[in-house]
Structure formats: structure tokens, C-alpha cells
Amino acid sequence: MSEPDLSFLDPAGRQSAAAEPTPRPPAPHPRAPGASAEGLVAELRAYQAELESQNKVLRYSQAVAESAYERFETLFASVPLALMVVDDHDMVVQANSMAHRSFQPTERDRPLTALMPFVCPQDAARVREAFAQAQDLGHSEVKEVVFTISEATRITGDLHIAHIDAPQTSGPPLSQFLCAVIDQGPLLAERQALQHSAETLQQRNEQIRASEKRLEAVINSALDAIICVDQHQRITVFNPTAAALFQCSASDALGSTLDRFLPDAAQALAFAQLTTQALLGEMTALTASGKELAVEVSVSFERHADGETTTVFARDLTGRKKAEAHRNELEAQLRESHKMQAVGTMAGGIAHDFNNILGAILGNVELAKADCAAGSPVLESLLEIDKAGRRARDLVRQILTFSRNEPPQRSAVSLAEVVHDTERLLRVTLPPAIELHMQLQAGLPPVLADATQVEQALLNLCTNAVHAIGTERGSIHVEAATVRPDQRLTERLGLAPIDYVALTVRDTGPGMDAATLERIFEPFFTTKPVGQGTGLGLAVVHGVMRTHEGGVDVQSAPGQGSRFTLYFPVATDTTSGAAAVVQASPVQQASPPTAMASASAPAESVGAAPGKKHHVMYVDDDQALVFLVQRLLRRRGYEVSGYTDPHEATVALRTAPQAYDLLVTDYNMPGFCGVDLVREARLIRPDLPVALASGYVTAEIEQAALAEGAQALIHKPNDVEELCATVQRLIVGHDPA
């Protein structure tokens, strides 16, 4: 900062002018003795003239001095600086108007009589030192002195001090100080503003650098490949994800053109003139080695002074496509599972109604055979009817096996023995053009299964392979080995992560297309000509594997044959014990007796007191079946009350609870469940033996019947002797006699 020129305040000129001696009139020449009076007069006149001339000079000097003093006073009063004259005792001798306005802006402020009371205590020592320096050197200055005017007002300025000696009429001159205060407030405000601006700019720069670091961190840690290109489509940014996706280092990619990795996206940059961002969708990208990738691309355009910058975002779709394929596979499996469940439910419902019809047919055939004389032609017809009915019953049981309504009697079974037993049967029935190959792993562990159902499933698969090969030459391979399926296979087939014995049947037949593979386990679906198959073989295999907590995997393609793999869980000590507990369930299933009374049994029931008949209540919604059971049991000496309405049966039982010795009820009746009737009967008479009959018995039904107190489960359609034996066993077991 330049310092003001204060030389005009130096009163040296006035001081020197005042110090000049007043011209004294010249001394009169000494008059010579005896001079004349005229000469004296002439001298006096000359002296007078010289005095007048000197008086003119004095008047002119005085006028000049007064003019200079006036100019000094005017300048002192009107200069835009706070000027003060301070004596040795810090008393303000003289101060201009600017000083008064600065140091005493209002009447309530401190009067300007001394300078030091206004100086801030922190600057007082510096100001005193400056006065002492001015005393010695004639001038001094102090930078940025704070003057306290009031509690709310302060002045910050530079103090300039000049030492002067004021002359007196008598005695030595007085020592005084001319002080000038230059207000630095605007300059300091400007300086503070500049400093604040510099600090703000520095903070802004730091924020920009931090933002750049964050942006760099975001770009480097982004899961998408981020590529920035300039207006010439040269790559300027290539994040690590892009390096991993395109298998190219950033140093190698920088400077390359965009079409090296995204040839289709480079053409889409023409949209930069139309929009600021665009979603280009799925595209084909290229790695550094030329491998194609499926990516989803979006671009963002930015215009700036140096040109245009385009940011390309590429997302790898490989994982998504794999996930979508896996999801589609799972959805197909779920649809297949729902379809098979619906078909199983439908099959169970059909079996229920069909069982009632078969039961009525077979029962009436038995009654007719009992009434027919030996050797009668009618008896031969009845035997054929009985044979056809039993074939229909076996067909229904296959449907029930598929629908998982008959729980298997599982135990530890040697799969190798089952396979060898089936092999002996197959070699007798195989056509000569088909070869059978067996390859079983040595030391196969036992599996938890029902040997009969395993043999049935294997036989169905081999028969299906024989029919697939047809009259051509071919071969069937049966293999067995211990495996542990991988995670994908367990998820697809719904298997537990345990060891299994994989039983594989593969053939060299024509194979199957995808449409056929989707329907092979549907009941009654077949590709054979009409009359050559029922379409239940593979459905039964599917039901067997479901009930065995295993799975069946199928692999086939046109011209490549078919491969069926059955996964049976390996039997352990724990699972074998659990199976034994299930088989020893207190709910006893009806089984044929070793020796049964014929259809022409005596009128009185076995075990009954003479003249007393046991009373059986039979409840079923099928009137024909109720009529049949009444006729069967009455011929064996029982009193039978048949009901087709379970509500009427409940009322009758409540009216006379002691009149009945046994209750046999169907499970599935319109608007009513047999388990509910069992529960009502146990509440009315707890000691009454109860049996539940159904052709649609599941594990849930068995558990519900056990919980309500049923003593037997009768599977329909059953033999006449089987039904009568169950009735006899339950009545005799509860007969108080």
C-alpha cells in the first residue's frame, strides 16, 4: 500500500519564516561634527525612505505568512484524514473535523481530548514506542492500530506521527506531534473479502478434488462397465469392471476407439444431437480376444467447452441369462409338479368313485356265485365277470400308486437282488433282437424301499424300452451305482443332500422329443397304437419314486435313445428304524385271513351268543355298496343297519349307542368326512370299535384316523372275505363275552 505524501503538513516553512529576523532599519550614519542642518535633513529623509521601503517588505512578508497560514488551516481542516496535534502530555491541542467525526461520531461518545484512551490495550505499547521514535527521528508510523470508539464501534487504521517544535514569543519552542490516522477499514474489509474468497476457492477446490475422488471411487467400484469417450470416440476412461468384462487392461484400452468393444453402440452415438441420454438395450460386445458377450448398454451425453463427452454403461447379462434359464427350468418343474399333483388328485377322486362301483360288482358276483349251483353255465359267466373286475381293481391300484395314496411298506432292500430277480423275468420275455446288459456296482448298500414296487418300476422301465425299440435290433442297459447328486440335480428333482443308489435304464430306441418328454409321466398318455398300452407304466414309476422320497431323471433326444435314472435313498440305521415304526402303526390295515368262511357261512355270527346277532352300522354314500354290504353281512349272521347319510347315522347312534357292536364308515362322503363321524362316535360311545373304509387312503388320512381312535383301515375295493374277516376280528376283539 502506498503511503500518502504528508509533506504539506510539515510546518517547517512556517517555522523558518517565523524564525527570519525582522529587518531592522539601517543605523543612521554618524553625523560628522559640524555638519550642516541641510545634510542632517537629507539623511533623515533618506532614512525615512529606507524605513518605508522596509515597512513595505515587512507588510508583504506578513501578508505572505498570513496567506500561508490560512492555506495550512484550510488544508488541515478539509483534508479527508483524521489529523490531530498532540503535545507531550497526550493532550489533543488541535484536531480537524474528520478526526472529530471519526473519534466522536455522536455526542454520547468520548470527547477527543487525548489520543491514548482511544488506543486498544493490545496496541498501546506499539503506539508509545512510535511516539518515542518520532521524538528522536522526527517521524514514525504504526500499522493497523485499533481505536476503540464505543462498545460497538472500532476503527482500524495506520497512525503516522511527525514531530514539530512550536515557537513561542519567549522561551524555547514547544514539542508537539502531528498525528494522521488513515482508516484501513475498507482496505481490511477488502483484504478479508479476498482472504475469504481465497479460502472459499480453496474449499471449493478441495470439494472438487474430493468429488473427483468420490467419482473415481464410484467408477472404479461400479458393477457396470463404464467407458468414457471423447468427440472422436476415443476411450478416455476405462474402469476395472470394464477391464474385467472385456478382458483388456485399462492402459491397453485407453486411446482405442469404442467400436473395438461395442461395435453396435458406436453407431448409436448419433443420438447425441437429439437427447442427453439413451437406453440402447441388449447388444453384443466383443472382448479383447474377440469373444462375444451379451450386454445391456445405455449412454449419457455431456456437452462442454472442450467438446462432447459420451459415457457408456455396459452391464453383463451372462449371469442374468443363466438365472433366467434356471428360473425357466424351475418354473417348468413347478408347472410339472402342479400338473402331476392335479392329475394325482383327479386320479384319487376317480379311484374313489370307481372303487365303489368295483366293490358293488365284485361283492354281488360273490353273492351270485354262492347262490349258483356247481357246473351251472351261469357260474362260468360269473367267474369271467369276477376276473374282469379284479383286473379293473388292479388298474385302479396302479392309479393309486401314481397318486401316492397307498404308502409303501419300506424296509432295507438289496437293490442288486431285486435287479437280478427282474433280470430272470426279463430274459424269458425279451425278443431275440434285443440284448439285455446288466452292470451293477460291487457292494451296493441297501436302499429304503418296497421291494415289490421297486421291481414293478424297473419292470415298467424295461418294458417301455422294449416297446420303444420295437422290431429293430437294439439293447437295454441296466446299471446301478452309489452316487451323491450335485446341487443342481437335487434342486431340480427335489432330492435331499444324501447318498443314493442310482438305478439307470437306457435303451437304443428312437428317443423322444421335448414335447413328448413333458407328458411322459401323465396317466394314460402313450405314443403306442390304440389297444397296445394303457399309458400307466411311467406314471406308476413316477408315483413309486415319489413315495420312496427319491426322484426320476429322464434324458432323451430324437435318434439318441432314452435314459431313465431312479434315485433311491440309501438305507441307514435311523431310516430303517423309522420305517419299522411306521409299519408297526396301531392303525391296522385289513388283510385277508388265512382261513375264511365261505359265502354260504351259517346264519349266526362267529363268537356270538346263541340267539344273539352282532349289530353293525355301515355308512357309505353309495346306495349300491350299502345294499351289498347288508346282504353280505346278513348272510354271515350279522344284523346290519345301512345309512347313506352320515347325519342320520349320527342321530341313530346317539339314540341307541349300546345297540351297535361295530361302526364301519366311508371316508369321503358329500359334505361330510368319515373322520368326523369317527370322532362323533367316540364321543357318543368311547368303547365302540370303529373302522374307516376308503379307496383314497393317504398318510394324512391314516394319521387322522389314528388320532380319532379308528381300529382298522379298509382299502376299497376289497374281497368279500377280507371285509367279513375285518368285521369279525373287530367284533370278537371287543366282545365282552
Side-chain angles (χ1 to χ4, degrees), residues 9-24:
L9 299 177
D10 187 4
R14 185 182 64 175
Q15 190 174 358
S16 59
E20 291 182 358
T22 303
R24 288 177 292 181

Side-chain angles (χ1 to χ4, degrees), residues 245-262:
L245 177 62
F246 298 108
Q247 300 176 6
C248 180
S249 61
S251 59
D252 185 20
L254 295 178
S256 303
T257 56
L258 182 62
D259 56 5
R260 176 184 177 186
F261 304 105
L262 295 168

Side-chain angles (χ1 to χ4, degrees), residues 208 382 390 488 588:
I208 292 175
L382 293 175
R390 293 181 184 276
R488 184 174 182 180
Q588 302 176 5

Side-chain angles (χ1 to χ4, degrees), residues 395-410:
L395 183 61
V396 171
R397 287 179 177 174
Q398 284 188 334
I399 297 176
L400 292 176
T401 300
F402 161 75
S403 61
R404 297 177 297 170
N405 293 327
E406 291 186 350
Q409 302 297 320
R410 300 168 61 190

Side-chain angles (χ1 to χ4, degrees), residues 524-596:
F524 310 112
F525 172 77
T526 179
T527 58
K528 302 172 187 177
V530 178
Q532 296 187 14
T534 61
L536 286 173
L538 294 180
V540 169
V541 173
H542 184 275
V544 168
M545 298 313 299
R546 285 290 186 183
T547 57
H548 282 73
E549 299 179 0
V552 53
D553 186 25
V554 185
Q555 298 176 3
S556 182
Q560 299 182 9
S562 301
R563 180 189 184 97
F564 290 82
T565 303
L566 308 181
Y567 292 93
F568 291 95
V570 173
T572 60
D573 295 339
T574 304
T575 56
S576 300
V581 171
V582 172
Q583 295 175 17
S585 172
V587 178
Q588 302 176 5
Q589 298 181 358
S591 58
T594 56
M596 293 302 305

Side-chain angles (χ1 to χ4, degrees), residues 209-525:
R209 286 193 294 269
S211 178
E212 291 177 351
K213 290 182 179 179
R214 288 194 299 269
L215 179 60
E216 182 180 2
V218 170
I219 292 176
N220 291 337
S221 60
L223 298 179
D224 294 340
I226 300 178
I227 304 174
C228 295
V229 296
D230 57 13
Q231 55 188 351
H232 304 293
Q233 296 189 12
R234 298 286 180 179
I235 297 176
T236 58
V237 175
F238 202 74
N239 72 336
T241 305
L245 177 62
F246 298 108
Q247 300 176 6
C248 180
S249 61
S251 59
D252 185 20
L254 295 178
S256 303
T257 56
L258 182 62
D259 56 5
R260 176 184 177 186
F261 304 105
L262 295 168
D264 298 334
Q267 302 175 0
L269 297 186
F271 294 123
Q273 304 300 327
L274 304 177
T275 182
T276 58
Q277 57 186 8
L279 178 62
L280 304 183
E282 184 175 345
M283 289 186 175
T284 300
L286 298 176
T287 63
S289 60
K291 180 182 176 182
E292 292 186 352
L293 295 173
V295 295
E296 186 180 36
V297 179
S298 61
V299 293
S300 175
F301 306 104
E302 180 183 359
R303 299 178 181 86
H304 46 78
D306 298 335
E308 295 181 354
T309 299
T310 303
T311 304
V312 181
F313 303 89
R315 177 171 299 177
D316 187 12
L317 298 181
T318 305
R320 182 190 298 180
K321 287 187 173 294
K322 290 182 179 179
E324 289 178 355
H326 184 57
R327 183 182 62 188
N328 293 336
E329 183 180 354
L330 292 178
E331 288 178 353
Q333 295 175 16
L334 182 61
R335 288 193 298 269
E336 180 69 16
S337 176
H338 287 172
K339 179 181 68 176
M340 300 305 292
Q341 182 179 3
V343 171
T345 304
M346 180 188 67
I350 294 175
H352 171 265
D353 294 336
F354 198 50
N355 275 335
N356 291 339
I357 299 173
L358 286 177
I361 293 174
L362 293 175
N364 282 284
V365 167
E366 289 293 331
L367 291 176
K369 286 164 56 179
D371 295 338
C372 186
S376 172
V378 178
L379 181 59
E380 184 177 358
S381 299
L382 293 175
L383 291 176
E384 290 298 323
I385 295 175
D386 183 70
K387 185 186 301 182
R390 293 181 184 276
R391 287 176 56 192
R393 182 184 62 183
D394 294 338
L395 183 61
V396 171
R397 287 179 177 174
Q398 284 188 334
I399 297 176
L400 292 176
T401 300
F402 161 75
S403 61
R404 297 177 297 170
N405 293 327
E406 291 186 350
Q409 302 297 320
R410 300 168 61 190
S411 60
V413 175
S414 174
L415 193 60
E417 295 181 2
V418 175
V419 173
H420 287 306
D421 292 341
T422 308
E423 179 186 4
R424 288 192 293 269
L425 179 61
L426 286 172
R427 291 197 181 276
V428 176
T429 58
L430 277 179
I434 299 178
E435 298 179 358
L436 179 62
H437 301 278
M438 294 285 180
Q439 186 177 356
L440 306 181
Q441 177 182 334
L444 283 176
V447 297
L448 188 62
D450 185 332
T452 302
Q453 291 194 4
V454 173
E455 183 176 354
Q456 181 183 14
L458 179 57
L459 187 61
N460 286 356
L461 289 180
C462 293
T463 304
N464 190 72
V466 171
H467 291 167
I469 297 174
T471 58
E472 303 292 333
R473 296 192 62 87
S475 60
I476 300 174
H477 298 263
V478 179
E479 302 170 356
T482 305
V483 297
R484 175 170 289 239
D486 56 17
Q487 182 178 0
R488 184 174 182 180
L489 185 61
T490 56
E491 291 178 355
R492 183 162 59 88
L493 299 182
L495 302 176
I498 59 176
D499 291 334
Y500 291 84
V501 174
L503 180 61
T504 303
V505 177
R506 56 186 177 90
D507 59 66
T508 58
M512 296 176 286
D513 56 13
T516 304
L517 282 175
E518 291 182 358
R519 302 188 60 189
I520 57 175
F521 293 119
E522 293 182 11
F524 310 112
F525 172 77

Side-chain angles (χ1 to χ4, degrees), residues 7-69:
S7 59
F8 64 90
L9 299 177
D10 187 4
R14 185 182 64 175
Q15 190 174 358
S16 59
E20 291 182 358
T22 303
R24 288 177 292 181
H29 297 284
R31 185 168 53 85
S36 60
E38 294 80 1
L40 181 59
V41 171
E43 290 180 1
L44 290 174
R45 287 178 179 173
Y47 181 68
Q48 182 179 3
E50 185 177 359
L51 288 176
E52 290 178 356
S53 175
Q54 291 181 357
N55 287 335
K56 290 180 180 180
V57 172
L58 287 175
R59 286 194 296 271
Y60 178 77
S61 298
Q62 184 176 2
V64 170
E66 290 177 354
S67 176
Y69 181 74

